[in-house]
Amino acid sequence: MPGKVLVVDDSALMRRLLSAVLTQAGWTVAVARNGREGVEQLLEWQPDVVTLDINMPEMDGLTALSLMMQARPTPIVMVSSLTEKGAQATMEALALGAVDFIAKPGGTISLSIDDIQALLLEKVRTASRIRLRPGRPATAMPAPVQRAPRPALARPAPASPRTIASAPASPAPLRGSAGRCPGLVLIGISTGGPRTLEDVLPQLAADFPWPVLVAQHMPPNFTLAFAQRMDRMCALEVVEVGEPMPLEPGRIHIGRGGTDLVVVERLGRLVAQPRPESPAHPWHPSADVMVESAMRVLPASQLVGVLMTGMGFDGAKAMAELKARGGRTIAEAESSCVVFGMPSELIQRGGASVVLPSQDVARQLRTWVQRLA
């Protein structure tokens, strides 16, 4: 049953529009005009969920978020602008404890609020059911990892839109090709993902022998900032896949928001590339699409699937099939999940080789990959 939502935004129009959407859906709503008022309302009114703007006078959203998580940890959904600066601030907010975010509508707000109405209600409902994990040190501004110089990894020239096509239906798996990657790690993740991945990706050493691909559900304009943030934290290079690029050890590939991430074979080499969102899949970048494409070009024995926190069931079908074909899979344990949806679905389908909390995933990956190397 809907509960209480605190809307914190310096725009009177946004406060009115967000309040109207939530009230119509049965939520009880209170509003605050800036971060300082938001912190005060949080303590006095004790809402179930907070929606929090980032750029506000008197006290900005990041400062308010930090104080809120210290004073009374509450599920917080950030409301962010579709700008590079807004995306970077959103990544900091997720690291500080926000559970999710939604992009502000573009153009005339009063005319485009309908574009985000369903998504707003879905994220608020999900946030209200989240069991917040015990706090950990904030990592809003990670210090860059000191990495040894690495040989430059080859990048093909940018492709024209016509060259970005779906994976072939059934190419013959490559075997023993020169320069070929020995296997792939495929990670599917959604709500709570950016912070959860901080438990995993920085724990992979620079000599980790398999490329890593990540399908993190995220809209356009945000995945580049996410990849840049993770790159500062990891020994491996972290990149957003905005164009076709060869899959080689030493790199973590983040699917670009607004696309699906697929693996294809080109001239005897495996390539990660974006393709238009599949209308048959509700979440993007889609974990199911990514894993299915990898199984078309590599034997299951050379693939490891990891399904982590997130609502819904994306990735469960493909990873269950991966395990059935002889591959290995990890489902994140409920104890560390922000939302125990996707991993739970994989477990129920009998598709999890092991079930582990997020902090143990990297260790298991190292064990398996070293055994297969």
Side-chain angles (χ1 to χ4, degrees):
M1 184 174 180
K4 301 192 296 184
V5 180
L6 174 62
V7 174
V8 185
D9 201 298
D10 65 322
S11 165
L13 178 58
M14 280 299 295
R15 292 196 303 271
R16 186 168 69 251
L17 292 173
L18 294 177
S19 296
V21 169
L22 292 164
T23 300
Q24 191 172 31
W27 295 90
T28 302
V29 179
V31 298
R33 296 171 297 177
N34 55 56
R36 179 183 57 78
E37 289 187 6
V39 174
E40 293 172 355
Q41 285 270 52
L42 177 84
L43 296 175
E44 294 174 7
W45 198 54
Q46 300 191 359
D48 300 299
V49 180
V50 176
T51 70
L52 183 60
D53 189 17
I54 291 178
N55 298 309
M56 295 180 290
E58 292 195 46
M59 182 184 290
D60 64 85
L62 292 179
T63 303
L65 170 64
S66 181
L67 293 174
M68 289 176 174
M69 296 308 292
Q70 291 176 42
R72 183 181 180 270
T74 302
I76 296 175
V77 177
M78 304 304 295
V79 182
S80 177
S81 60
L82 285 169
T83 64
E84 180 180 351
K85 186 176 180 181
Q88 291 171 347
T90 300
M91 294 305 109
E92 293 183 20
L94 294 173
L96 287 168
V99 298
D100 209 341
F101 70 95
I102 188 167
K104 282 187 174 180
T108 304
I109 294 175
S110 59
L111 298 178
S112 54
I113 192 70
D114 289 346
D115 295 342
I116 68 165
Q117 178 172 336
L119 188 59
L120 170 66
L121 293 174
E122 177 183 287
K123 288 181 180 287
V124 168
R125 279 194 298 267
T126 300
S128 70
R129 297 193 292 266
I130 286 174
R131 182 184 72 251
L132 293 178
R133 289 197 281 167
R136 55 178 161 177
T139 54
M141 295 297 291
V145 172
Q146 297 300 314
R147 293 188 284 220
R150 295 173 297 196
L153 298 176
R155 289 174 78 100
S160 68
R162 287 188 299 276
T163 65
I164 299 178
S166 59
S170 56
L174 303 166
R175 297 187 183 277
S177 325
R180 175 143 189 266
C181 64
L184 298 174
V185 173
L186 309 163
I187 301 176
I189 193 164
S190 186
T191 307
R195 201 171 187 210
T196 298
L197 286 171
E198 293 179 14
D199 289 342
V200 181
L201 302 183
Q203 307 307 316
L204 301 178
D207 61 354
F208 189 77
W210 288 12
V212 179
L213 291 86
V214 180
Q216 161 71 65
H217 298 165
M218 198 173 279
N221 302 92
F222 289 90
T223 43
L224 178 59
F226 172 51
Q228 291 170 339
R229 175 182 169 78
M230 293 307 305
D231 187 58
R232 293 194 295 270
M233 302 177 69
C234 294
L236 296 169
E237 181 185 17
V238 184
V239 297
E240 180 198 56
V241 181
E243 61 188 40
M245 57 181 61
L247 285 166
E248 299 176 7
R251 190 186 272 165
I252 297 168
H253 306 76
I254 307 292
R256 172 177 280 185
T259 72
D260 283 328
L261 175 60
V262 297
V263 181
V264 298
E265 181 267 324
R266 286 186 177 179
L267 301 176
R269 302 188 71 183
L270 296 185
V271 173
Q273 70 176 33
R275 83 172 186 195
E277 293 181 352
S278 164
H281 298 80
W283 299 281
H284 305 279
S286 167
D288 272 325
V289 169
M290 176 181 68
V291 175
E292 288 165 1
S293 73
M295 287 193 292
R296 287 196 281 266
V297 295
L298 277 178
S301 59
Q302 292 174 236
L303 300 172
V304 173
V306 184
L307 202 55
M308 306 191 76
T309 179
M311 59 186 174
F313 50 83
D314 184 35
K317 178 181 177 182
M319 290 197 192
E321 177 63 22
L322 173 61
K323 179 175 180 288
R325 294 187 189 184
R328 295 168 172 82
T329 60
I330 300 172
E332 184 181 356
E334 185 175 9
S335 60
S336 66
C337 275
V338 175
V339 179
F340 189 53
M342 290 156 52
S344 174
E345 184 70 21
L346 179 61
I347 294 167
Q348 290 176 30
R349 290 171 180 252
S353 302
V354 295
V355 179
L356 298 171
S358 59
Q359 61 269 24
D360 293 339
V361 169
R363 183 186 306 113
Q364 185 64 60
L365 290 175
R366 292 193 300 268
T367 298
W368 280 345
V369 169
Q370 287 168 3
R371 193 177 299 162
L372 295 169

